[in-house]
Amino acid sequence: MTQKKIALQLVDESLKELESAKGSVLSAIQKLQRAAGIVGEDDKKIWCSIQLGDPLYTTPLKELLSFLIEHNDPATKKYKEGLRRHEKILNELGLSHSIHYTNEELNVKANESGGGYLNIGFIEERYADLVRTKRGNDGTYYKNNLNNHINYVKKKAHELASQLFSQLKFSGTVSCCFDLLKSAVDDRLLDLNPVIAEQLMLAFKSVSSDKQEEWSHSLTTCRRLLEGLADELYPPSKERFNGRPVGQAQYVNRLWAFMDNSILSESNKELAKAHIDFLGSWLEKVNKLTNKGVHAELEQLEAVKSVFHTYLVVADILNYLKISSKKSSKPHIESASLDELEALLGINRSVAKEIVKVRATEGGLDIDSLSRVKGIGPKTIEKAKEVFELE
């Protein structure tokens, strides 16, 4: 079982404890704390530690409470300086006002007869004893105050656990799936044709911009990379293919012809070709608008959709393509192929791909950007200076 699944199971069990009339708040907090620790949710983990009475956090929080009770005039210089001092101590421990010592939390913890900063398990026991003996208090702890404290912790824990559950169960699902697709397509395109791969990565970069001209550029880039892909897979011909012209300008038809030749299943073939037809006609239509200067018609969402569709189409194509590595000789690192980077720098294929990705993302490559690539050390930098021209 993966760490994420373990954390999700713990959060689910925590929520069940909190939602059950007979559930243990102590058990729920302990499970939430473990889950938060597994996935690195430090804020939630610390909040749980506070409810469990960890003196690392409760001691300075009690000191803050004492200070606030003693100095209740926020307008005085002494109050402001003292508050800053206490907040600095808490911040150094990783505590934030918005979650660990909100006004509501401080008000609940300030009530000693409700348990204060004691372990929530102890507070539950004291409350259960008073209920069982049918007493309102035992001279130190009061049933109503204990109950209010328990209800507050239960409510807050449920809020945090629900957030973590949603985060683990749903958040990032779509983006992670697209990241998976994007990475796979980028890698395979780099093997096929680094220039086309860089075009696609640059198109993706352009749609993230806040400039409208960049969105327009991404559409043009998508069309050009499809033209380049068509040149690579099905070179122009004066002959027709199934009645369709496949000359230089008919890049959609040439991709269509490649798919027709490469896919055995008729249903898969028709689906893939329909996707290419759709994307090709859509890009042509939008590009006509932008070429006429109708920029108001071009929204960022349209540009994003075009890039996403392009990735899907290219993924379809690459599924039916056997890629073989190519070699070329380009002395400048700005135009070096994967094979050159791999062979001349003495690095593996994955590191070479990362170099090309950085080159595409940052619009160039120099010593500084090269040194930030994972897997590139000082020796490789020195070698790069020897075998390539660098900016």
Side-chain angles (χ1 to χ4, degrees):
M1 186 180 293
T2 66
Q3 292 291 87
K4 179 180 176 180
K5 286 183 178 179
I6 293 172
L8 187 61
Q9 181 178 321
L10 286 168
V11 177
D12 185 46
E13 292 173 0
S14 176
L15 285 169
K16 288 177 180 177
E17 290 278 6
L18 294 167
E19 292 166 0
S20 170
K22 296 182 179 180
S24 163
V25 180
L26 171 64
S27 177
I29 297 291
Q30 289 172 331
K31 289 174 180 176
L32 177 58
Q33 183 187 44
R34 286 173 57 200
I38 289 172
V39 296
E41 284 288 325
D42 291 339
D43 279 347
K44 293 178 176 62
K45 181 181 177 182
I46 290 173
W47 184 85
C48 291
S49 295
I50 293 169
Q51 312 315 312
L52 296 175
D54 187 339
L56 175 64
Y57 305 112
T58 59
T59 299
L61 285 168
K62 287 181 197 177
E63 291 172 355
L64 171 65
L65 263 179
S66 297
F67 168 81
L68 292 174
I69 293 170
E70 183 180 349
H71 304 82
N72 55 10
D73 185 358
T76 65
K77 181 180 179 181
K78 191 172 184 180
Y79 177 91
K80 293 176 181 178
E81 290 177 349
L83 183 60
R84 280 198 296 269
R85 185 175 65 255
H86 283 284
E87 286 181 336
K88 181 181 179 182
I89 294 171
L90 295 173
N91 289 341
E92 288 173 352
L93 289 172
L95 277 68
S96 65
H97 174 69
S98 61
I99 182 172
H100 303 120
Y101 54 101
T102 61
N103 292 341
E104 184 180 11
E105 177 114 3
L106 290 174
N107 285 332
V108 170
K109 302 296 186 182
N111 193 334
E112 293 292 339
S113 63
Y117 277 103
L118 291 173
N119 185 300
I120 190 63
F122 175 84
I123 294 170
E124 280 189 298
E125 288 179 2
R126 294 283 69 75
Y127 176 72
D129 286 342
L130 293 176
V131 170
R132 186 173 58 255
T133 58
K134 298 181 180 180
R135 290 184 295 164
N137 68 85
D138 62 4
T140 301
Y141 303 107
Y142 284 70
K143 184 172 71 174
N144 287 341
N145 294 339
L146 292 169
N147 188 43
N148 289 338
H149 192 161
I150 292 169
N151 286 337
Y152 162 76
V153 173
K154 182 183 289 189
K155 174 186 171 185
K156 186 66 177 180
H158 193 279
E159 176 188 323
L160 297 177
S162 297
Q163 289 174 3
L164 187 54
F165 183 85
S166 295
Q167 177 184 325
L168 293 171
K169 186 76 174 177
F170 307 112
S171 295
T173 301
V174 174
S175 62
C176 287
C177 288
F178 181 74
D179 286 344
L180 183 65
L181 171 69
K182 182 179 182 300
S183 179
V185 170
D186 288 345
D187 281 352
R188 294 204 72 199
L189 264 186
L190 283 167
D191 283 327
L192 174 68
N193 188 315
V195 174
I196 296 175
E198 287 190 66
Q199 285 180 320
L200 188 51
M201 287 185 276
L202 287 171
F204 182 79
K205 179 186 176 184
S206 294
V207 296
S208 302
S209 169
D210 58 358
K211 298 178 181 178
Q212 197 170 48
E213 59 267 26
E214 288 291 320
W215 309 339
S216 175
H217 178 69
S218 70
L219 286 160
T220 304
T221 302
C222 284
R223 190 194 67 213
R224 287 175 179 168
L225 76 88
L226 287 178
E227 290 173 348
L229 192 58
D231 290 343
E232 184 81 28
L233 302 176
Y234 199 97
S237 172
K238 294 181 180 179
E239 303 290 331
R240 286 179 171 262
F241 183 87
N242 288 349
R244 289 192 177 198
V246 286
Q248 182 64 50
Q250 289 81 38
Y251 68 95
V252 171
N253 286 356
R254 288 188 284 125
L255 289 173
W256 188 91
F258 167 78
M259 300 299 273
D260 196 76
N261 285 335
S262 303
I263 304 174
L264 296 178
S265 166
E266 287 298 324
S267 58
N268 289 347
K269 185 182 299 185
E270 293 306 314
L271 180 63
K273 290 190 295 185
H275 200 176
I276 292 171
D277 283 340
F278 166 75
L279 180 59
S281 61
W282 185 33
L283 286 173
E284 289 296 333
K285 179 181 178 181
V286 179
N287 271 290
K288 284 178 182 177
L289 287 174
T290 57
N291 290 336
K292 288 179 181 179
V294 190
H295 294 294
E297 297 292 333
L298 178 63
E299 299 294 338
Q300 187 178 25
L301 180 59
E302 293 301 308
V304 171
K305 285 159 64 178
S306 72
V307 174
F308 277 36
H309 273 300
T310 302
Y311 265 101
L312 290 169
V313 165
V314 174
D316 277 346
I317 293 170
L318 295 180
N319 274 341
Y320 302 99
L321 181 67
K322 291 182 179 179
I323 296 177
S324 58
S325 298
K326 300 181 175 183
K327 289 192 176 183
S328 60
S329 55
K330 296 178 182 178
H332 202 293
I333 199 165
E334 292 280 7
S335 55
S337 69
L338 274 173
D339 291 327
E340 284 180 305
L341 292 169
E342 187 177 358
L344 297 178
L345 293 180
I347 57 178
N348 60 41
R349 196 81 172 171
S350 62
V351 175
K353 289 178 180 179
E354 289 303 314
I355 292 175
V356 175
K357 290 178 184 179
V358 170
R359 187 170 68 190
T361 303
E362 298 189 6
L365 198 67
D366 56 19
I367 294 295
D368 184 54
S369 56
L370 182 63
S371 65
R372 294 198 303 272
V373 175
K374 187 176 181 181
I376 297 295
K379 290 184 179 179
T380 308
I381 294 293
E382 291 303 314
K383 196 163 189 178
K385 292 177 181 177
E386 294 174 8
V387 298
F388 287 117
E389 290 181 20
L390 280 162
E391 295 295 332

